[in-house]
Amino acid sequence: VTINAYPAASISTQSFSACTVVLKANPSGAIYKWHDGSTGSTYTTSHGAAYSVGVTVNNCTSNAFYTYQRTYLSFVSNV
């Protein structure tokens, strides 16, 4: 009998710009399923929201959650 440990699922920020952020599911080499059904190891978004991914290794799945908050800057002109 083999007992597999649950994978240590996590989401990290791979890259970001002024408009988008690329989230990366960990650990690498697993099977991924994001909240919207997509299955890549990365997820690109431009919307501030809560994101989740299920990570499967050796038929064991754990979930990770990430909240992305965009910061909007207001510019005031003294004309």
Side-chain angles (χ1 to χ4, degrees):
V1 173
T2 300
I3 299 174
N4 297 319
Y6 282 97
S10 65
I11 300 173
S12 58
T13 304
Q14 181 174 341
S15 64
F16 60 91
S17 68
C19 298
T20 63
V21 63
V22 178
L23 304 176
K24 177 163 179 24
N26 301 293
S28 61
I31 297 169
Y32 312 103
K33 187 169 185 181
W34 292 90
H35 60 281
D36 67 349
S38 60
T39 58
S41 62
T42 60
Y43 186 87
T44 302
T45 185
S46 60
H47 303 287
Y51 297 93
S52 64
V53 65
V55 177
T56 303
V57 176
N58 295 323
N59 293 320
C60 293
T61 302
S62 63
N63 296 299
F65 303 90
Y66 186 93
T67 300
Y68 170 54
Q69 292 182 315
R70 287 194 59 181
T71 302
Y72 297 94
L73 299 176
S74 297
F75 294 96
V76 178
S77 176
N78 293 327
V79 180

